[in-house]
Amino acid sequence: MLVTGAFAAGSALTAGLAPPAAAQHGPAVLRPRPSTVTLGRRRVRTWTYNDELPGPTISASTGDIVHATLVNDLPEATTVHWHGIQLDHRMDGAPGYSQKATPPGGKFPYVFRVPFPGTYFYHSHVGMQADRGLYGPLIVHDPREPLSYDEEYTVVLDDWLDGLLGTPDEVLRRLNASTDHDDTLRSDLLGGVTGDVRHPLYLVNGRPPEAPATFSARPGRRVRFRVINAAADTAFRVALGGHRMTVTHADGCGVRPVTVDTFLVGMGERYDFLVRLGDGVFPLVAMAEGKGARAFAVVRTSGGRAPGPEAKVPQLDGRRLAYRDLQARTRPDLPKPERTVLVTLGMRPSGNEWTMNDRLASDPFRLRVDRGETIRVVLDNQSPMWHPMHLHGHTFQLRVPNGSGPHKDTVNVKPRERVEFDVLTANPGEWMFHCHNLYHQEQGMMGVLGYGRPPRRRAAHGHH
Ligand SMILES: [Cu+2]
């Protein structure tokens, strides 16, 4: 990992206490390849970046240029998508939109500026590849970090089936051959059926509950957790036993701190929270919402026996974060929108084709906009399932009943729900706008936000 700019290993951040993870820059080469991973008692064949699960953490500082060359050791073409980063369109890793997927044996140099601090991740954007092990954290540190904390930890959540229920492609083929949905996967929080697959395992940082990841610190330390949901089909309800959490960021963007017991994180969403750690050994739990299982890790500040994976965590049923609790902190409100576009989310009678304004990805719905305008997007979910809708290359400002809504790039929309956001078209290109349920994405739920001309050939970090 080559990082240019102000940030250097070990450099003290100017405000607050220096996040210790700042010294990690990660690799300059991402090599997706077939690999064997150990998941507790099981060893499975899968695909990973650089033989790591999750892929190696790439970290940089606001304004830096990130260099990461993809070297494709897979038997299939692939890309890397930098989820949540407002980057040059040509670096977006969207096959058929920003680039042709890189063939087996090929290389692709990703070079892009990271304009805003925050918690992001990278993943393959080809087919079901991200439902194997092809994802990793991307952390952009703020050289003027306004929060003060002693430690930080990244928590990557995943649902795992590869090598246990077949490959993700095989599972997709099974779903495509069926018109039914598993009615036993239900959650009131998500308004009905929560997912398409009951996964054999749910992971924190590549580890199952039987062999959990452990986060160690001294008691009384103030810790920032960065939670990333890299799953294909699972929303998680997250809580830390014995603690309340102060949420400070949604999808990388600052929000006014709000203290809750638990939050729900959809696929593609990220939340950061602060806690002052008590003295003991605590369960960090991520309930696979509506699926009757959990991902699990341990937070340890003293000796003593670790809680078991089934430890009771009353916080899971406590005060839960809602979107209406989120107020923008670090970014100004967008200009008033000039017009409104309605996007209806639907399901075809086949039960396995998901639409945006009645269209499938093969002939996608296009939001027709001009460069430099603010538009209001109304997402109206007329389908029987919830969808975490993700827009590439932008953050949008979510409309909440009061005040300034949060800036996000992924938003959950429940059945029969309407969600509104505003987006400023300030980053020209052809941008995917899709459901981050990977099965729904592959079953058609993909539209396009396209405008302007991509920046002319300059340095790859082009626009401003
Ligand atoms: Cu969906």
Side-chain angles (χ1 to χ4, degrees):
M1 170 93 260
L2 302 170
V3 176
T4 56
F7 187 79
S11 73
L13 302 186
T14 53
L17 291 157
Q24 298 168 14
H25 288 178
V29 172
L30 284 180
R31 199 179 278 275
R33 62 200 312 181
S35 138
T36 300
V37 298
T38 302
L39 304 172
R41 288 169 278 117
R42 304 169 174 89
R43 281 170 70 75
V44 297
R45 289 293 288 169
T46 187
W47 295 350
T48 64
Y49 292 111
N50 301 15
D51 294 319
E52 293 179 41
L53 182 70
T57 296
I58 295 177
S59 64
S61 193
T62 313
D64 283 349
I65 310 299
V66 170
H67 300 249
T69 296
L70 165 68
V71 178
N72 186 5
D73 284 346
L74 298 175
E76 290 179 5
T78 193
T79 64
V80 183
H81 170 60
W82 309 91
H83 182 112
I85 302 284
Q86 293 167 68
L87 41 48
D88 184 299
H89 175 252
R90 293 165 297 177
M91 297 292 131
D92 191 44
Y97 290 82
S98 68
Q99 64 167 105
K100 272 214 277 257
T102 302
K107 292 184 186 184
F108 190 98
Y110 290 97
V111 180
F112 57 91
R113 183 171 174 269
V114 285
F116 299 106
T119 301
Y120 306 95
F121 68 122
Y122 61 87
H123 60 78
S124 163
H125 217 301
V126 171
M128 295 300 301
Q129 290 177 5
D131 196 26
R132 303 192 191 218
L134 293 177
Y135 61 85
L138 171 59
I139 307 298
V140 182
H141 293 280
D142 186 347
R144 292 185 302 275
E145 177 59 60
L147 303 177
S148 94
Y149 46 91
D150 304 306
E151 320 271 352
E152 68 168 70
Y153 296 115
T154 302
V155 176
V156 187
L157 304 173
D158 190 19
D159 50 10
W160 192 273
L161 60 80
D162 194 22
L164 300 174
L165 296 183
T167 66
D169 295 292
E170 288 162 354
V171 171
L172 175 63
R173 280 197 287 278
R174 269 178 248 154
L175 291 174
N176 283 342
S178 153
T179 60
D180 294 332
H181 295 273
D182 186 342
D183 249 357
T184 66
L185 304 175
R186 297 190 75 82
S187 159
D188 289 344
L189 295 188
L190 293 165
V193 176
T194 60
D196 290 313
V197 182
R198 191 183 293 280
H199 292 75
L201 289 175
Y202 299 95
L203 309 180
V204 174
N205 291 355
R207 304 182 68 102
E210 70 194 48
T214 299
F215 304 101
S216 296
R218 276 186 279 141
R221 299 290 260 184
R222 202 164 149 86
V223 177
R224 177 180 187 166
F225 286 92
R226 299 173 180 268
V227 178
I228 300 166
N229 186 350
D233 181 59
T234 304
F236 291 97
R237 185 161 32 112
V238 179
L240 174 58
H243 295 77
R244 303 198 86 198
M245 40 180 64
T246 299
V247 174
T248 60
H249 294 76
D251 296 356
C253 301
V255 294
R256 283 198 217 143
V258 50
T259 299
V260 294
D261 294 304
T262 185
F263 60 85
L264 188 71
V265 56
M267 296 82 84
E269 286 191 302
R270 292 89 64 210
Y271 285 103
D272 293 22
F273 67 90
L274 293 174
V275 289
R276 189 171 296 284
L277 291 178
D279 192 347
V281 194
F282 307 99
L284 176 64
V285 170
M287 291 300 301
E289 189 57 37
K291 295 187 172 182
R294 51 171 72 177
F296 171 77
V298 172
V299 176
R300 174 181 285 284
T301 65
S302 68
R305 257 184 70 199
E310 296 309 319
K312 237 176 117 50
V313 178
Q315 284 77 12
L316 285 167
D317 300 308
R319 159 98 158 86
R320 192 179 67 256
L321 183 77
Y323 285 152
R324 66 175 173 276
D325 297 324
L326 299 172
Q327 294 280 311
R329 173 170 60 84
T330 53
R331 296 196 200 178
D333 288 345
L334 295 185
K336 283 261 174 300
E338 284 131 73
R339 59 205 178 83
T340 296
V341 182
L342 178 68
V343 180
T344 300
L345 309 177
M347 184 185 78
R348 295 230 169 128
S350 66
N352 54 38
E353 290 165 297
W354 304 89
T355 57
M356 295 173 70
N357 284 354
D358 292 324
R359 304 177 86 97
L360 296 168
S362 49
D363 179 21
F365 166 67
R366 293 185 65 90
L367 278 130
R368 295 195 185 277
V369 296
D370 292 322
R371 185 174 180 173
E373 65 173 341
T374 305
I375 57 162
R376 175 155 300 165
V377 175
V378 177
L379 291 170
D380 181 12
N381 188 356
Q382 303 276 1
S383 85
M385 266 182 83
W386 72 286
H387 305 286
M389 300 302 297
H390 172 57
L391 177 61
H392 286 211
H394 299 72
T395 55
F396 47 74
Q397 188 170 15
L398 197 62
R399 295 251 293 158
V400 294
N402 292 298
S404 301
H407 296 255
K408 291 181 102 279
D409 52 63
T410 309
V411 63
N412 303 330
V413 193
K414 287 181 280 192
R416 298 168 300 283
E417 188 180 39
R418 271 184 169 225
V419 165
E420 300 186 7
F421 63 72
D422 295 344
V423 60
L424 176 64
T425 55
N427 193 10
E430 293 278 296
W431 301 101
M432 287 176 163
F433 178 30
H434 67 90
C435 180
H436 222 278
N437 180 313
L438 240 51
Y439 296 95
H440 295 181
Q441 172 193 295
E442 291 305 293
Q443 293 175 331
M445 202 161 213
M446 166 92 63
V448 186
L449 174 72
Y451 59 91
R453 290 222 308 268
R456 297 205 356 260
R457 265 231 167 272
R458 298 188 270 165
H461 48 290
H463 53 278
H464 58 198

